[in-house]
Structure formats: structure tokens, C-alpha cells
Amino acid sequence: MLRIWSTSDEWPGATEATNEEIAARCGSDAHQGVCAEVDPYPYADASEFLAQPDALIVALDEVTDPQNLGAIARTAEAVGATGVVIPERRSAEVTPAVCKASAGAVEHLPLARVRNLADFLGDAKAAGCWCYGAAADAATSYTAPDWSGAVVLVLGAEGKGLRPRVAAACDDLVSLPLRGRIESLNVSATAAVLLYTILQFRLDTST
């Protein structure tokens, strides 16, 4: 469902409204003369991701920052990922802020919510996926895995990283080399490096 209110006739089918009426509907004066009401974001079924051949799935463990979720979705869509999986609780969900940060990627890339992320990883492994978690102190280099076939890339929240049960559900943990003075990268930056590493690996092995 889509309903639009506008102060001008630039939007076909829109209901004419005053600036004050639009501000009351959207809860802000920064509306630029238009306001829309839409249905909630249609989350996908995570099990459908596992049925895709050579799936590339991004699983986020309690990433709560909408900007990070949006940025990760943008990169995931750019590399042709199958979808993004987030927990139902203690996680950012798709909001207007996430849509904006993703540059519209969430309109093209399916996102799914699961009750328990560790259980989803168990289902993914049973379906033939390899699950790799990102951890700053991991002994395995990010260039070591065979990134072909069905893969789930698991990323944790900034500061906390992967929860123990989620980390234990991964087949292996990988790390990025750090040569500067800071101890870690932003989770969306980590996602970008790893996703493009996976994409380059797949491009190289397909030729």
C-alpha cells in the first residue's frame, strides 16, 4: 500500500495537504512538501537463501547501528550477495535511515530476520554452506578460505564482536591484517573488504 500527501500537484494521485498537515504526519518539518505512507518492510524467508546455488549470505550478529546495516546492505547488493540475515532481537532493522544509508540497496537485496542466528548457521551448514566469522584475533587469514560454493559471512557488532555461541557455530574465523595503531575496522568496512575478497576469488576461479 502506498499513500502520498503533497503540497503541490507534482505527485500524481497524491492527496493535497498543507505544510502543517504533512509535518504532523511525518513528525518533522524537513519534509520538502511531500509525505508517503507505505507498508512495513517485507522481510524475506531466510530458508530461501539456503536453497540458492553458490549462495553468498551475510549474517549480522547484533549489529545495532542503522548506518552500518545500510552500508553493509549496499556493499552486499553491489557484489551480488544472495541476501542479509539479521536477528529478530537486539539488531537494527530496516528503517528509513537504513534505506538511506543503503542508497536504496534494501529495495533490491532481500533481508531476512531469524529468531536465533546460531541456529540459522546450523541450518546453513546442514544445507551445504560454509560459515566464516570475522574476528580480529582469528588465526586464519581472510585470504585462506576457499570462497567458492555456498558461503555465509558472519559479522559481529562493533566493540563486542561475535557472541561465543555464534562464533562456535562457524566453521572457521578469519581476520584482516592491521598494521596501524587501531585495533579493528568498522564493521561495515570489514564487510566491504571481505565481500570484495569473496567476489574477486569467485571471479578469478570462474575464468
Side-chain angles (χ1 to χ4, degrees):
M1 181 189 72
L2 172 64
R3 296 183 63 191
I4 301 174
W5 291 266
S6 175
T7 57
S8 71
D9 57 2
E10 295 180 12
W11 296 85
T15 300
E16 186 176 347
T18 65
N19 279 318
E20 292 74 19
E21 290 170 334
I22 292 177
R25 285 190 175 277
C26 67
S28 171
D29 291 329
H31 51 68
Q32 297 183 327
V34 65
C35 179
E37 180 180 65
V38 298
D39 288 333
Y41 181 80
Y43 288 99
D45 183 344
S47 64
E48 295 179 358
F49 297 167
L50 304 179
Q52 300 297 316
D54 299 331
L56 173 53
I57 303 165
V58 181
L60 304 180
D61 186 22
E62 296 189 349
V63 172
T64 57
D65 186 339
Q67 298 299 316
N68 281 332
L69 175 56
I72 292 168
R74 182 175 184 174
T75 304
E77 199 283 328
V79 302
T82 306
V84 173
V85 175
I86 58 176
E88 291 180 353
R89 301 174 59 194
R90 294 185 292 276
S91 174
E93 56 188 44
V94 180
T95 62
V98 171
C99 293
K100 183 176 181 180
S102 78
V106 295
E107 301 298 329
H108 307 285
L109 175 77
L111 279 81
R113 301 174 79 189
V114 295
R115 186 179 299 276
N116 186 292
L117 191 59
D119 289 347
F120 169 76
L121 297 180
D123 293 341
K125 290 196 287 187
C129 297
W130 286 89
C131 300
Y132 294 98
D137 58 353
T140 302
S141 169
Y142 74 113
T143 59
D146 180 344
W147 293 113
S148 60
V151 169
V152 182
L153 176 63
V154 191
L155 299 155
E158 283 190 67
K160 296 189 300 181
L162 299 174
R163 289 173 294 162
R165 185 163 178 254
V166 171
C170 295
D171 292 296
D172 200 0
L173 301 178
V174 300
S175 63
L176 299 174
L178 296 171
R179 296 293 182 264
R181 297 183 181 181
I182 60 171
E183 297 180 352
S184 65
L185 293 176
N186 173 283
V187 64
S188 62
T190 299
V193 173
L194 292 174
L195 285 169
Y196 269 93
T197 297
I198 295 170
L199 175 60
Q200 190 62 58
F201 182 96
R202 295 183 175 199
L203 291 173
D204 291 343
T205 56
S206 67
T207 55

